[in-house]
Amino acid sequence: MSFHRCGDRRPPWLLALVLVALTSPLQAQYFGRNKVQYESFDFRVLKTEHFDIHFYPAEEAAAAHAGRMAERWYARLSSILDHELNGRQSLILYASAPEFQQTNAVGGRIGEGTGGVTEALRRRIVLPTGGTLADLDHVIGHELVHAFQYDITGNGRPNSLGALPGASYLPLWFIEGMAEYLSIGPTAPQTAMWMRGALENTTGDTLPTFAQLEDPSYFPYRYGHAFLAWMAGHWGDQVIGQMLRGAGRSRDVVAGIGRVLKANPDSLVARWHAETHAAYDPLKPGSQPPETFGPPVVTGKGNEGRFNVAPSLSPDGSQMMFLSDRGLFSIDLFLADARTGKIKKQVTSTAQDPHYQSLQFIQSAGSWSPDGERFVFAGISRGRPILSVYNVKREKREEDINLSGLDEAFNPSWSPDGQRIAFAGLHGGFSDLFVYDLETNKLRRLTDDAFADLQPVWSPDGQSLAFATDRFTSDMSRLVIGPYSLAVINVASGDVRPLPALEGARHTS
């Protein structure tokens, strides 16, 4: 079985981590192993005009939103690509990433960086709804592009057991770049960061040649997106589908580009380079390398510690917890001296300890207790979310707080009085705010809606939480999803208001 695993709902630094799983759709085969199944799912089917949406009761509300998003994407993509899918399209939904990773709809281990999967033969799309509606909308659009790619370059029978469609043989920069361009458009902060970084690399310009686009060191999502967005900007969106048809028939992207644009790919890349320089070079004088603002504390060497993320300083500023792959085989929690960066202890070893399936490293960070003696971080154990409390002084895990009824937990934040822990939790495919009382061992839900509520931080008096949300910029009645802004919630009353000092200073994510 062949399929694309897509991870682009995740931060750009993480996406390189899953590139090994993406080097070729033909390598995505997995024999003789079974996934660990922690739960049984009672799937139902929601039928829309073009989709059979498979969901279970806990995610019914999210499935309804997904159905509207899918139909909206279908209308857009069928128009741009001038194609109607053969037969009905299956969309299999899970409420969270840990549940998605248990799926038997596709073979192989599904890593934390995988945002969705589209099969090449049966053309089924499988993905988690958990996170935010903006993430869900993007991933549905991205994966549906893959379904169109397979249908356009295949034999038109989604349940056929015949030969793989032509798209399966095309380079990832073209396949994933096309899915990104058609699902997020020509402008994306992640792609802009990669292009600007390529031009400001200390070793010189690192924009790829046409041949180098197939080199795994040039991440296909971002470079493919940038190059195809540039092409569509000059020749129109319709050339994307035309190049796909031409390349799919010959299994040769060079032939597809030449047939449609009547140009040599190397000359096109040269023009793309020149215009990218023209766009980004004026920004160079206003930027400085990170070392200008402070010395590096924790750095990676070779393949060790390439990803050092989610730092959290102790209250006295002397120590730092962070997540890193410096253990080589997994992402783990480390304690370091905050001034020198010297590693004092590896707190977890998830490759050896089956207690943790995940430390939620993609979207989460931990928090110190006010006295600096304990540290709390989120994890997944036996398929369910937990908050783990680590005693720094005694160097041992002190407690696991089981979050029964929730699907995932992110960014725990310890209250100033040391008695409560706030966090963002997933339930039914939506993110909300929760507070766990350490004295009464009771969990309280602060918000309950489809809006994204993320990254809570306590006020100094412990009466309120500041958090990121899209509730002031989104319209659920029309499924218009706006950018994030900052808000404050009163923990006692549950009243939510925009953060006055930064009202209007919004950013996209």
Side-chain angles (χ1 to χ4, degrees):
M1 180 179 292
S2 176
F3 47 86
H4 273 295
R5 301 167 183 267
C6 298
D8 203 34
R9 58 182 295 195
R10 310 301 185 185
W13 58 264
L14 166 77
L15 297 180
L17 210 74
V18 297
L19 188 57
V20 173
L22 290 168
T23 53
S24 169
L26 295 177
Q27 294 172 358
Q29 301 190 38
Y30 194 88
F31 301 106
R33 301 182 186 180
N34 294 315
K35 299 184 182 74
V36 176
Q37 300 289 323
Y38 295 104
E39 301 177 51
S40 297
F41 302 103
D42 180 19
F43 275 99
R44 318 287 173 83
V45 179
L46 170 66
K47 290 186 176 292
T48 66
E49 183 179 356
H50 299 98
F51 293 85
D52 292 331
I53 300 174
H54 301 260
F55 69 98
Y56 41 93
E59 55 174 354
E60 184 172 6
H65 284 306
R68 295 164 61 197
M69 291 173 178
E71 287 293 350
R72 185 169 61 182
W73 277 116
Y74 187 98
R76 181 173 187 272
L77 295 175
S78 62
S79 175
I80 290 175
L81 299 174
D82 191 24
H83 182 79
E84 298 287 334
L85 292 178
N86 289 282
R88 296 182 63 77
Q89 176 64 46
S90 292
L91 183 61
I92 303 173
L93 303 178
Y94 288 85
S96 67
E99 294 178 346
F100 167 55
Q101 290 159 15
Q102 299 174 47
T103 185
N104 57 14
V106 294
R109 179 181 177 276
I110 296 176
E112 291 186 60
T114 303
V117 173
T118 304
E119 297 176 299
L121 293 178
R122 298 184 184 180
R123 218 183 62 210
R124 294 184 298 186
I125 295 173
V126 190
L127 57 87
T129 63
T132 68
L133 290 177
D135 288 338
L136 178 61
D137 190 49
H138 170 218
V139 176
I140 288 176
H142 182 106
E143 297 300 331
L144 191 57
V145 172
H146 289 324
F148 272 90
Q149 289 169 338
Y150 291 142
D151 200 56
I152 289 171
T153 64
N155 55 21
R157 297 193 299 274
N159 293 315
S160 172
L161 297 179
L164 290 171
S168 298
Y169 300 91
L170 299 180
L172 282 175
W173 73 261
F174 182 78
I175 293 299
E176 297 296 353
M178 175 180 171
E180 281 295 88
Y181 173 70
L182 293 180
S183 62
I184 60 179
T187 304
Q190 289 185 0
T191 297
M193 285 192 297
W194 280 71
M195 296 305 103
R196 185 169 176 176
L199 298 182
E200 294 184 352
N201 191 288
T202 55
T203 61
D205 186 344
T206 58
L207 285 175
T209 64
F210 183 78
Q212 287 173 331
L213 283 170
E214 295 193 45
D215 184 335
S217 62
Y218 291 94
F219 193 59
Y221 285 80
R222 305 277 63 87
Y223 288 99
H225 174 222
F227 187 35
L228 289 174
W230 176 83
M231 283 194 242
H234 282 278
W235 286 277
D237 286 350
Q238 73 280 356
V239 302
I240 302 295
Q242 293 168 5
M243 287 190 294
L244 173 66
R245 286 179 173 84
R249 283 192 294 269
S250 60
R251 299 182 180 181
D252 183 355
V253 72
V254 174
I257 293 174
R259 184 177 293 112
V260 175
L261 301 184
K262 311 299 182 186
N264 179 281
D266 290 324
S267 65
L268 290 176
V269 167
R271 287 181 58 191
W272 170 51
H273 285 197
E275 294 184 24
T276 302
H277 272 284
Y280 288 98
D281 283 352
L283 302 176
K284 288 184 179 181
S287 62
Q288 300 291 333
E291 292 78 7
T292 303
F293 304 97
V297 178
V298 176
T299 59
K301 297 179 180 179
N303 290 327
E304 181 181 289
R306 295 168 300 166
F307 305 105
N308 302 297
V309 299
S312 180
L313 283 172
S314 61
D316 65 3
S318 66
Q319 301 186 95
M320 176 177 64
M321 288 283 196
F322 68 101
L323 296 167
S324 175
D325 67 339
R326 63 183 47 242
L328 296 182
F329 299 108
S330 58
I331 298 290
D332 284 298
L333 183 66
F334 291 83
L335 175 65
D337 184 295
R339 295 180 176 86
T340 66
K342 181 180 178 180
I343 304 300
K344 301 175 70 173
K345 185 174 180 60
Q346 181 174 338
V347 176
T348 66
S349 182
T350 56
Q352 300 176 15
D353 182 1
H355 181 70
Y356 297 108
Q357 282 86 58
S358 167
L359 297 182
Q360 305 293 74
F361 76 98
I362 297 171
Q363 302 182 60
S364 190
S367 175
W368 291 80
S369 62
D371 59 11
E373 292 187 0
R374 294 180 292 171
F375 186 80
V376 62
F377 58 97
I380 298 293
S381 179
R382 297 188 63 82
R384 305 308 305 167
I386 60 172
L387 296 179
S388 282
V389 178
Y390 177 77
N391 192 304
V392 179
K393 186 176 182 180
R394 298 167 64 184
E395 298 186 347
K396 61 180 294 186
R397 188 172 72 240
E398 188 175 272
E399 178 184 11
D400 279 342
I401 301 170
N402 294 309
L403 303 172
S404 59
L406 300 185
D407 299 317
E408 289 185 87
F410 306 111
N411 293 108
S413 178
W414 219 307
S415 66
D417 61 9
Q419 297 177 1
R420 295 162 294 172
I421 297 174
F423 63 93
L426 292 188
H427 181 263
F430 298 127
S431 63
D432 287 298
L433 299 182
F434 296 82
V435 171
Y436 184 83
D437 191 304
L438 294 167
E439 292 190 340
T440 64
N441 297 322
K442 291 184 178 180
L443 183 66
R444 181 185 168 205
R445 188 172 191 162
L446 299 184
T447 61
D448 187 359
D449 49 54
F451 297 113
D453 296 329
L454 308 166
Q455 302 173 355
V457 178
W458 290 93
S459 61
D461 62 9
Q463 295 184 11
S464 303
L465 289 165
F467 64 102
T469 183
D470 60 0
R471 62 180 55 245
F472 302 114
T473 57
S474 299
D475 183 349
M476 292 297 113
S477 65
R478 295 187 297 128
L479 209 62
V480 176
I481 304 167
Y484 295 112
S485 60
L486 295 179
V488 173
I489 184 169
N490 184 289
V491 175
S493 67
D495 293 336
V496 179
R497 57 182 173 80
L499 191 63
L502 295 177
E503 189 174 3
R506 298 170 178 141
H507 65 87
T508 58
S509 175

